[in-house]
Amino acid sequence: MSEREPEELSDAIAIIGMAGRFPGARNVDELWRNLRNGVESIAFFSEEQLQASGVDRTLMQDPSYVRAGAILQDVDRYDASFFGVSAREAATMDPQHRIFMECAWEALEGAGYDPFAYEGAIGVYAGASVSTYLLSHFLTTSGFIAKGAVGFQEMIGNDKDYLATLTSYRLNLRGPSISVQTACSTSLVAVHLACQSLLDRECDMALAGGITVRLPQHAGYRYEEGFILAPDGHCRTFDAKARGTIAGNGAGIVLLKRLDEAIADGDMIHAVIRGSAINNDGSLKVGYTAPSEVGQAQVIAEALGLAGVEARSIQYVEAHGTGTPLGDPIEIAALSRVFRAGTSAKQFCAIGSIKSNFGHLESAAGVAGLIKTVLALRHGELPPSLNFETPNPAIDFANSPFYVNAALKEWKRGATPRRAGVSSFGIGGTNAHVVVEEAPMGAVAAAPVEVSSRVLPLSARSPEALAALVDAYRGYLSGECAASLQDIAYTASVRRRHFEHRLAVVGGSREELLTSLAAVARGEASPWAARGEAKLDAR
């Protein structure tokens, strides 16, 4: 198999937007900070916290009960008025629906697209976990057994079937809207299906991802020998001490677009999906919940073939990596089977798993791994896979193509672009693999226009939200921001929706804009700031 030239990649898909909420990270920037710094975002609960969550005291005293979890902050918060949702409807809506909707908007806005003004079709491919909000909170506190329209409305806000379509309704998205459910591989399968939808021209852009929020969050679990959950609350992927993972909460979404159109439209391209594949193990394995070396190998080989790349060019694999004694060796065996078909080179490909940072996000696990990989491609660094000391004795890393990347290291560019594979395997056998590559160099290289100053307009639905937006821009402009002032001002002016509460600052440099924004934050009058309100167009 020979590699295709970049100009032949008519079926490549650009990732032009990302958003997410993760344990210890409110957004993808904070996620990257934690990843590169090797932060393990696992919480260990006190007896008081467990009691407040309703955990039985007898269970707490059980030696097999593990008082650990991966917490997602602010699951009780939701900007209902922003989406036109009533207070009552918001109160009965699963946090999975609320947070996914917010992340969908953030991904679109981060990419510079207003869904109410965009003329093309935007699809949604999404999945969630079972509604524990319905089971553990709502059913027990509000007498859910209702009849007629009231019960039906509450079902819409909690059932997994309505996650994608409710998001499409609230955000005015008119492409295919499909709820995807394949257990642990849900969100990466959603990415694959979204790519296929784009290639079939069913839509012009597509949101793909997943979410898991288990309630109550401050609750542990009982360890059972041979099950997938670890006895100590730590995920030790590929390590000799690995005994499983931990249940985590999180959400992730990517915004996808055909690569040639993303380049033509001047979009920010975070990375490129060269190819993807999905399959199922079938019945030729130990049991329904067991992984299959053959099934995993087949899906990886198919994704590489569709991407038109050699296995030897893959420099990193974001593994499914649940840290189980059975699953880890099978995963490496499947990868080795595919890679060995094209090369005998040893230990040239780094491997790791985001599960070592905060456990298994279930329906959001695959997209979390994809976002981690995209961030690594974008920053040119491989973050450490945590809790790895001694290799699992059932894995012969020394004679395999792989090594566990246990420390932060530079991701050097070789004869080919930086390139990676991302795997996600679901209980029940639905496997997914995506081949992702760094953004093409110089794809969007318009020269900045020389002007003495730029106008930066900001707007929000409320004064409080506008103040928060000012703080967000201050953090963005004062951080490691690669975008030019021209691009920042243009996106804020032309490619974002303008709300009732408005503010504009003027500056010829980042420092001038930061000074003006700081004055606004302090409530001081400034010659560089103008305030005003305007009514939204009825849509």
Side-chain angles (χ1 to χ4, degrees):
M1 181 178 68
S2 60
E3 293 204 0
R4 293 175 293 176
E5 296 299 322
E7 58 269 18
E8 297 175 342
L9 300 180
S10 58
D11 53 355
I13 301 297
I15 299 174
I16 64 171
M18 298 189 296
R21 312 275 179 84
F22 307 93
R26 296 168 296 179
N27 51 54
V28 295
D29 292 331
E30 291 186 5
L31 173 66
W32 175 247
R33 178 199 64 196
N34 289 346
L35 291 171
R36 76 181 307 276
N37 291 334
V39 175
E40 185 185 45
S41 299
I42 301 296
F44 290 85
F45 309 129
S46 67
E47 188 168 313
E48 291 74 18
Q49 288 175 309
L50 294 172
Q51 284 181 330
S53 293
V55 177
D56 184 82
R57 183 180 293 275
T58 303
L59 180 59
M60 279 188 259
Q61 305 308 318
D62 187 332
S64 64
Y65 187 73
V66 183
R67 303 183 179 192
I71 302 299
L72 196 63
Q73 297 297 320
D74 299 331
V75 298
D76 58 336
R77 297 175 180 268
Y78 176 52
D79 197 348
S81 62
F82 181 89
F83 295 101
V85 175
S86 70
R88 186 191 182 285
E89 184 180 354
T92 62
M93 188 183 295
D94 188 333
Q96 295 184 118
H97 286 242
R98 304 179 209 157
I99 294 169
F100 189 86
M101 199 178 299
E102 291 179 338
C103 288
W105 177 269
E106 290 169 12
L108 287 163
E109 187 174 56
Y113 284 97
D114 173 4
F116 289 88
Y118 183 66
E119 295 181 355
I122 302 174
V124 180
Y125 291 81
S129 295
V130 65
S131 178
T132 52
Y133 180 71
L134 177 68
L135 296 174
S136 68
H137 173 74
F138 194 64
L139 282 174
T140 60
T141 60
S142 60
F144 178 74
I145 310 244
K147 296 180 180 180
V150 175
F152 183 65
Q153 184 60 53
E154 290 159 338
M155 181 180 67
I156 288 174
N158 285 270
D159 196 294
K160 296 186 289 186
D161 284 0
Y162 303 102
L163 178 69
T165 52
L166 194 57
T167 299
S168 294
Y169 172 70
R170 292 298 179 187
L171 272 61
N172 190 41
L173 310 179
R174 301 179 301 279
S177 193
I178 310 295
S179 290
V180 181
Q181 298 302 149
T182 60
C184 317
S185 60
T186 289
S187 55
L188 203 63
V189 170
V191 170
H192 168 79
L193 295 175
C195 290
Q196 296 305 304
S197 181
L198 286 164
L199 295 175
D200 290 342
R201 299 192 174 270
E202 294 177 329
C203 55
D204 302 292
M205 293 193 293
L207 290 161
I211 183 167
T212 291
V213 178
R214 304 175 182 89
L215 299 173
Q217 289 199 91
H218 292 84
Y221 57 90
R222 181 185 281 114
Y223 168 70
E224 298 178 29
E225 183 71 31
F227 192 49
I228 64 171
L229 297 179
D232 59 357
H234 300 285
C235 183
R236 307 176 187 276
T237 306
F238 304 125
D239 191 81
K241 297 178 182 177
R243 293 295 180 272
T245 185
I246 184 170
N249 298 294
I253 295 178
V254 291
L255 179 62
L256 308 175
K257 193 175 188 179
R258 290 180 287 272
L259 176 60
D260 55 349
E261 295 179 8
I263 293 173
D265 293 341
D267 294 316
M268 170 67 76
I269 301 173
H270 299 285
V272 174
I273 294 176
R274 290 280 302 252
S276 63
I278 58 174
N279 73 354
N280 190 273
D281 296 335
S283 61
L284 298 180
K285 56 181 182 178
V286 174
Y288 174 75
T289 63
S292 164
E293 178 184 332
V294 173
Q296 291 179 18
Q298 287 176 342
V299 81
I300 294 165
E302 184 178 352
L304 288 169
L306 291 168
V309 302
E310 303 283 354
R312 184 67 178 84
S313 73
I314 303 296
Q315 299 133 350
Y316 176 71
V317 171
E318 173 63 21
H320 183 66
T322 52
T324 61
L326 175 66
D328 285 358
I330 286 178
E331 183 165 9
I332 296 299
L335 282 163
S336 296
R337 177 187 292 207
V338 177
F339 278 55
R340 280 285 175 257
T343 178
S344 60
K346 298 178 181 179
Q347 294 194 305
F348 64 87
C349 183
I351 195 165
S353 173
I354 199 170
K355 291 181 180 66
S356 66
N357 292 89
F358 46 56
H360 193 357
L361 303 191
E362 198 172 318
S363 293
V367 75
L370 176 61
I371 289 173
K372 170 191 172 181
T373 306
V374 171
L375 291 168
L377 287 165
R378 199 172 75 185
H379 291 276
E381 293 181 313
L382 288 172
S385 193
L386 306 184
N387 303 319
F388 179 80
E389 296 175 354
T390 304
N392 184 321
I395 303 174
D396 184 10
F397 278 114
N399 292 305
S400 81
F402 308 102
Y403 66 93
V404 178
N405 191 70
L408 179 68
K409 62 179 288 187
E410 180 185 359
W411 190 345
K412 297 180 180 179
R413 190 178 287 111
T416 60
R418 297 187 186 100
R419 192 174 291 156
V422 181
S423 292
S424 191
F425 310 130
I427 285 180
T430 295
N431 308 307
H433 190 79
V434 172
V435 178
V436 61
E437 182 177 288
E438 66 180 326
M441 298 180 67
V444 184
V449 178
E450 295 297 330
V451 295
S452 59
S453 61
R454 303 281 179 189
V455 178
L456 178 65
L458 308 179
S459 68
R461 283 200 186 276
S462 68
E464 295 79 13
L466 184 58
L469 187 61
V470 168
D471 287 341
Y473 267 89
R474 290 175 66 192
Y476 179 69
L477 290 169
S478 60
E480 297 180 4
C481 169
S484 68
L485 289 188
Q486 173 183 324
D487 288 342
I488 294 169
Y490 174 83
T491 300
S493 300
V494 178
R495 297 185 68 168
R496 285 193 171 151
R497 198 174 187 195
H498 299 293
F499 297 106
E500 302 95 318
H501 297 272
R502 303 183 177 190
L503 161 73
V505 293
V506 181
S509 66
R510 293 180 192 275
E511 292 71 23
E512 289 183 8
L513 288 175
L514 282 167
T515 298
S516 297
L517 288 171
V520 170
R522 292 192 300 268
E524 299 175 359
S526 168
W528 305 109
R531 297 176 184 271
E533 294 186 10
K535 293 183 178 179
L536 286 172
D537 295 334
R539 296 185 185 275

